[in-house]
Amino acid sequence: MSGLAVRDLVVRFGATTAVDTVSLDIELGTVVALLGPSGCGKSTLLRAVAGLESLTAGSVAWGGADLAGLPVHRRRFGLMFQDGQLFPHRDVGGNVEFGLRMAGVDRAERAERVAELLELVGLAGYERRPVSTLSGGEQQRVALARSLAPRPELLLLDEPLSSLDRTLRERLVGELSAILSKTRTTALYVTHDHDEAFTVADQVAVMAAGRLLQTAPPQRLWRHPADRSVAAILGYRWFAPATSLGLDGAAMAALRPESLVVDVEGSLTGRVLDHRFTRGGTTVRVDVDNLGEVEARTPHLDPPTVGGLVRLRVEPAAVALFG
Ligand code: ADP
């Protein structure tokens, strides 16, 4: 059986075309991350798959069957949003069992499934806790348990971790990814954060201004974005002919701050403009011949002199090649 097939989907709101002729497949048991800047149409696409937006044109099919006219609750898809939207008057167990109750699952089986899900999300024994006493991260774990409880055929996650602070988000995204793969969940994961997309996804679909620009596995996308606009969405900031950096195999190279390292034996020379402390070292802004202003990293907290010359080494593993 095949999974999700979106074909030439268009969603318009008056004069705004939020989703513009998008085709996307999700194979069973895999996770596709939909990555793009805010306002590019990600949520609208997800909502159209869920049955929450009407399609202007195109189709959405599951297992080969067109879903046109099938209401949200009959699609057997799970939903999880940025704000978990837990029922405040129910306890944790009451929230997690909600979908099962709706499906008419009996009490004993519900209790067993709730315990299993809470164990899975690291909240074993939390059944009777009021949701108002939970931290933001715990609330999102409960929301995940609730959306997985009825064993949805497809899980739709819309920026599920965006309301959490960075440290928590970085930890939870790894856990969430492990849970999705352990439960072999088929999922569409909407995010504007490329690190999050790369952590959770088997395939990353890059979107901008309503259109899908490229769909590829994380490694391939990261090393070989289709073009400059995809590279920019992934966080690459400087572009140069590959040969000017001593690289071959493609016409253009894209660099991000991790791509250049201050190194006396480096092949590039530039003048130091300024520097600042960043996580794990110093980021130096350098004016390099033929490349212009770039940023480079050094693990040392003792920065090079402003106005002086430095040599930079290209870190080939942190450079994207395209064209
Ligand atoms: P993203 O999820 O990538 O941030 P959205 O899908 O929320 O983007 O929005 C895409 C575009 O569609 C935006 O220009 C947004 O303003 C517009 N839009 C989204 N929902 C509606 C709506 N219900 N009515 C009118 N315009 C909308």
Side-chain angles (χ1 to χ4, degrees):
M1 200 186 94
S2 56
L4 184 78
V6 174
R7 288 291 170 273
D8 299 321
L9 177 67
V10 179
V11 181
R12 280 198 202 102
F13 300 107
T16 307
T17 304
V19 176
D20 188 2
T21 329
V22 165
S23 296
L24 178 72
D25 288 282
I26 307 183
E27 282 180 35
L28 288 182
T30 68
V31 179
V32 171
L34 195 54
L35 173 69
S38 179
C40 75
K42 306 181 295 296
S43 291
T44 304
L45 174 52
L46 176 138
R47 291 169 56 81
V49 170
L52 292 163
E53 296 292 353
S54 25
L55 318 186
T56 307
S59 63
V60 175
W62 178 259
D66 197 314
L67 299 179
L70 196 67
V72 180
H73 62 279
R74 296 202 35 220
R75 296 192 177 197
R76 296 189 37 77
F77 294 168
L79 284 160
M80 181 177 171
F81 296 102
Q82 173 173 344
D83 162 9
Q85 297 174 333
L86 299 178
F87 306 114
H89 54 283
R90 292 176 197 264
D91 58 20
V92 167
N95 269 277
V96 176
E97 70 168 2
F98 181 76
L100 302 173
R101 205 186 254 273
M102 291 293 107
V105 175
D106 73 47
R107 193 191 184 91
E109 197 181 329
R110 288 203 310 264
E112 193 179 321
R113 182 81 179 133
V114 168
E116 183 186 324
L117 263 305
L118 288 179
E119 166 96 43
L120 182 72
V121 300
L123 295 176
Y126 273 54
E127 278 88 342
R128 300 284 74 91
R129 279 278 293 271
V131 294
S132 58
T133 66
L134 302 177
S135 69
E138 288 168 339
Q139 290 189 18
Q140 287 309 78
R141 288 167 200 260
V142 173
L144 178 64
R146 182 178 63 181
S147 60
L148 286 173
R151 304 181 202 277
E153 301 215 36
L154 172 69
L155 183 61
L156 302 167
L157 306 110
D158 193 351
E159 304 268 9
L161 305 177
S162 295
S163 64
L164 308 174
D165 65 58
R166 179 157 83 179
T167 314
L168 185 56
R169 200 166 68 226
E170 285 176 356
R171 200 176 78 220
L172 271 189
V173 69
E175 290 181 22
L176 198 149
S177 171
I179 290 169
L180 294 181
S181 83
K182 191 169 167 191
T183 52
R184 298 171 164 276
T185 300
T186 310
L188 178 62
Y189 189 107
V190 163
T191 179
H192 66 276
D193 182 308
H194 45 78
D195 288 331
E196 224 172 285
F198 288 126
T199 303
V200 297
D202 297 297
Q203 298 276 333
V204 178
V206 180
M207 202 172 171
R211 307 205 66 129
L212 216 51
L213 304 181
Q214 185 179 7
T215 304
Q219 303 274 38
R220 182 140 55 85
L221 187 67
W222 195 233
R223 292 308 305 280
H224 300 292
D227 55 33
R228 194 173 167 136
S229 52
V230 174
I233 290 170
L234 301 181
Y236 289 99
R237 289 166 50 191
W238 305 286
F239 300 87
T243 49
S244 71
L245 299 174
L247 301 166
D248 49 30
M252 293 296 291
L255 306 171
R256 54 197 163 91
E258 297 78 18
S259 313
L260 296 169
V261 181
V262 177
D263 183 336
V264 287
E265 293 180 0
S267 58
L268 302 174
T269 306
R271 195 165 292 282
V272 176
L273 297 171
D274 56 32
H275 48 73
R276 63 177 193 278
F277 293 114
T278 40
R279 287 210 284 181
T282 301
T283 297
V284 187
R285 211 156 56 87
V286 186
D287 187 9
V288 178
D289 295 344
N290 303 324
L291 197 57
E293 277 181 35
V294 296
E295 286 181 3
R297 293 274 162 89
T298 167
H300 304 297
L301 295 175
D302 188 19
T305 314
V306 172
L309 291 175
V310 280
R311 284 183 163 276
L312 304 178
R313 167 167 58 83
V314 179
E315 194 66 72
V319 174
L321 296 170
F322 62 93

